[in-house]
Amino acid sequence: MDAPAHELPKKYRHAILSLIKGLICLSAIASFIACVAIYYPESDFHFWGYVMFAALYLIVFLANANMYRCFNIGMLRRRELVFSFCIASFLTNFIMYFVISLLCKFIIDPLPLLAVLLFQWAAGSLLLLLANRMFFLLRPVRNAAMVCSQDQHETETLEKFQNMRDSYRIVEVISEAAGFDAIAAGLAPYSTVIAGAIDASLRQKLVNFCFEHNKRLFVLPSVQDIILHNSHETFVGDSVVYLCKNRAFTIEQLAVKRLMDIAVSLLGLLLTSPIMLVTALLIKLYDGGPVFFRQVRYTRNLERFTLIKFRSMIVDAEKDGARFTTPDDQRITPVGRFIRRTRIDELPQFFNILRGEMSLVGPRAERIENADYYCEMLPEFRYRMKVKAGLTGYAQIYGKYNTSYEDKLKLDLLYIENCSLIQDLQLLLLTVRVLFLPESTEGFRSTTIGELQKEREHRDELDRSA
């Protein structure tokens, strides 16, 4: 059973958290309206004008807060919550600054709004940390059981659940070989069930069992699950059918997406040119080696292109063959460590985008050796190449450098099956948050494809002998 300590009825827990979220919104709106009333009298609002302006501010703030998930209390880590809130409030005030300027018919002084923003960051961060603390105090840790098949991918997922000690405690792991009756009996004491890569018929029984007994169910999806989940409902006569798209974008959307790629890449090159110039000088001064790193990668339809990045490793870093980046990799230079952490090394890819080899948003461009190996191990991995490789995307935002290729594929399929120009804009805005999350650049434990293959073969041998 779940731990009863500090447990309150669910409605009270939600009420407390909703109250804190309301206080965050209220403090943001009140400070902004006070700033407008005191420092921008040219806006000439009356009572109902301020009410409407407050409503507009709330709508913009909630839209940004939803995009950056800054109210996902208990789901995101404290640092992510605070940083997401800071970005959401900054974007809201940035937008409203231009709205006030339009109302006043001149560019207003931004300093009062900057002071308000600092207050909002301080007050909002404190309230979010309080809400996060209250979430774990009032919500018991859920004891969970996992039904698995000993697949390597689900073993990695199990490890991730075990790291969520404040939310879930994996008490029992049951093999699908036990049969449904034994599994159902074993799941009886637990409120949370995790279904791994188990047989489809067993999973269906498990879904029905959990639904009937009001148990929370996590399912590790297959590639086909993601494709079907993101299909479109339509009708054939009076029958409901699911339609899976055979192309990611229409011709019109591709044309607009290409225009957006050209416009944003040109703007990006213009704005970041001072940063790129300084970076090039630092790399050259450090060891006198080449400034750029060039490597052949795959893009749409398995076409090959030469990707350009700033060199972050020593010269001849792969003279002994291709190797993954590992934690504390000695091949990375001091300059390289900084530009990798801040993603400055990715900026030259604007040239790839401008030439049409890449897009702003899309799956990460994989090197040839890695992609060929992943396609051999998981043929569906080639589905990622239905669209152009991208500078940013689902896998780049929600994944890490060392995210397994199975999870990379699923993240990229989520983008491909849901892609739209609006989603591209959202992902571009979400990319800002990734720049400050060092976990996204973690290295692999294995250093080469060969080691990765041997490690997988060793684990498969252990699974067979278990």
Side-chain angles (χ1 to χ4, degrees):
M1 299 295 290
D2 295 334
H6 307 293
E7 183 173 8
L8 285 176
K10 191 173 183 179
K11 62 179 180 180
Y12 294 124
R13 300 202 306 269
H14 285 175
I16 292 172
L17 293 178
S18 296
L19 176 62
I20 298 176
K21 293 177 185 178
L23 288 174
I24 293 173
C25 294
L26 182 62
S27 65
I29 294 172
S31 58
F32 176 78
I33 294 298
C35 176
V36 172
I38 297 171
Y39 294 102
Y40 305 120
E42 300 89 347
S43 58
D44 195 28
F45 283 133
H46 299 290
F47 175 76
W48 287 110
Y50 281 117
V51 171
M52 295 299 295
F53 210 48
L56 175 63
Y57 187 91
L58 178 62
I59 291 170
V60 176
F61 174 71
L62 290 179
N64 287 318
N66 180 65
M67 180 169 61
Y68 284 100
R69 304 191 301 165
C70 67
F71 284 146
N72 281 26
I73 297 165
M75 300 296 292
L76 298 180
R77 293 167 301 172
R78 288 172 294 185
R79 180 176 57 181
E80 289 179 297
L81 279 174
V82 170
F83 185 67
S84 296
F85 170 78
C86 290
I87 298 178
S89 53
F90 170 79
L91 282 178
T92 302
N93 284 281
F94 182 77
I95 293 169
M96 298 306 292
Y97 170 79
F98 288 102
V99 173
I100 300 173
S101 295
L102 286 172
L103 291 171
C104 296
K105 298 181 180 179
F106 63 89
I107 299 299
I108 60 175
D109 181 9
L111 291 179
L113 270 180
L114 288 176
V116 166
L117 181 62
L118 293 176
F119 167 78
Q120 291 173 342
W121 283 355
S125 298
L126 288 174
L127 288 170
L128 276 174
L129 292 175
L130 173 62
N132 194 69
R133 179 65 175 165
M134 295 297 293
F135 177 88
F136 290 111
L137 282 176
L138 300 177
R139 179 185 180 277
V141 176
R142 295 178 181 273
N143 288 335
M146 182 172 188
V147 183
C148 64
S149 65
Q150 299 302 320
D151 178 84
Q152 173 58 31
H153 186 210
E154 69 182 6
T155 302
E156 294 170 356
T157 304
L158 174 59
E159 292 174 357
K160 294 171 186 175
F161 268 101
Q162 289 172 333
N163 291 330
M164 300 172 63
R165 297 181 183 88
D166 291 333
S167 300
Y168 299 98
R169 184 187 299 115
I170 309 298
V171 178
E172 189 171 357
V173 178
I174 307 172
S175 171
E176 66 175 345
F180 176 72
D181 292 336
I183 291 172
L187 296 178
Y190 307 109
S191 64
T192 303
V193 177
I194 305 164
I198 58 178
D199 179 75
S201 60
L202 175 60
R203 189 176 72 170
Q204 184 59 53
K205 293 179 181 178
L206 201 59
V207 169
N208 293 337
F209 172 81
C210 292
F211 184 79
E212 291 173 3
H213 293 84
N214 298 318
K215 295 183 183 294
R216 178 172 294 200
L217 175 64
F218 289 94
V219 176
L220 187 64
S222 66
V223 171
Q224 290 72 28
D225 288 331
I226 292 177
I227 293 173
L228 288 174
H229 176 73
N230 293 284
S231 59
H232 299 274
E233 293 178 1
T234 187
F235 297 92
V236 176
D238 56 356
S239 298
V240 179
V241 296
Y242 285 123
L243 171 65
C244 299
K245 297 186 295 183
N246 60 354
R247 63 165 57 187
F249 288 97
T250 64
I251 298 298
E252 295 81 3
Q253 288 175 323
L254 283 173
V256 175
K257 184 177 174 69
R258 179 62 187 142
L259 289 173
M260 186 168 70
D261 286 345
I262 294 172
V264 176
S265 59
L266 284 173
L267 181 63
L269 287 170
L270 178 65
L271 295 178
T272 62
S273 55
I275 299 174
M276 289 199 284
L277 179 60
V278 173
T279 302
L281 288 172
L282 290 174
I283 294 171
K284 196 68 177 179
L285 289 172
Y286 177 75
D287 59 8
V291 169
F292 295 111
F293 167 78
R294 292 178 172 85
Q295 190 175 73
V296 178
R297 304 265 179 119
Y298 279 136
T299 186
R300 183 175 58 188
N301 298 328
L302 293 175
E303 294 177 2
R304 301 186 181 208
F305 75 103
T306 301
L307 180 134
I308 309 172
K309 298 174 68 174
F310 281 121
R311 181 174 60 86
S312 60
M313 292 188 175
I314 60 174
V315 179
D316 296 329
E318 294 189 340
K319 61 182 179 181
D320 298 324
R323 293 173 57 190
F324 291 123
T325 303
T326 57
D328 301 319
D329 198 315
Q330 298 302 309
R331 298 173 300 157
I332 302 176
T333 66
V335 175
R337 202 167 299 280
F338 173 76
I339 64 175
R340 288 170 71 96
R341 187 181 299 118
T342 55
R343 305 304 193 281
I344 292 174
D345 65 322
E346 310 274 357
L347 293 180
Q349 291 175 54
F350 280 130
F351 290 108
N352 291 119
I353 296 170
L354 197 57
R355 291 202 297 252
E357 298 160 337
M358 292 178 60
S359 181
L360 288 167
V361 183
R364 182 187 295 276
E366 290 287 347
R367 64 188 301 168
I368 303 300
E369 300 90 341
N370 295 2
D372 288 344
Y373 170 72
Y374 297 152
C375 288
E376 181 182 345
M377 298 301 297
L378 183 65
E380 293 92 341
F381 194 80
R382 68 183 185 277
Y383 296 166
R384 296 172 71 254
M385 275 71 87
K386 286 174 68 72
V387 297
K388 284 183 183 178
L391 182 62
T392 187
Y394 263 66
Q396 295 93 312
I397 292 171
Y398 297 111
K400 304 176 184 178
Y401 173 73
N402 62 349
T403 296
S404 68
Y405 61 83
E406 294 97 334
D407 281 327
K408 280 184 181 179
L409 171 60
K410 292 174 183 178
L411 288 168
D412 288 329
L413 279 179
L414 283 176
Y415 168 72
I416 292 170
E417 290 299 310
N418 290 287
C419 58
S420 66
L421 298 175
I422 296 297
Q423 181 177 243
D424 279 10
L425 291 173
Q426 291 177 334
L427 291 174
L428 286 172
L429 291 172
L430 284 170
T431 303
V432 178
R433 188 178 65 180
V434 181
L435 301 178
F436 297 86
L437 299 178
E439 292 83 351
S440 301
T441 57
E442 288 178 353
F444 284 90
R445 286 175 291 185
S446 302
T447 60
T448 66
I449 283 289
E451 288 185 16
L452 186 66
Q453 188 169 7
K454 289 179 181 177
E455 181 183 342
R456 179 171 290 273
E457 289 172 353
H458 176 66
R459 289 182 178 178
D460 289 343
E461 185 65 30
L462 291 177
D463 291 341
R464 285 192 293 270
S465 61

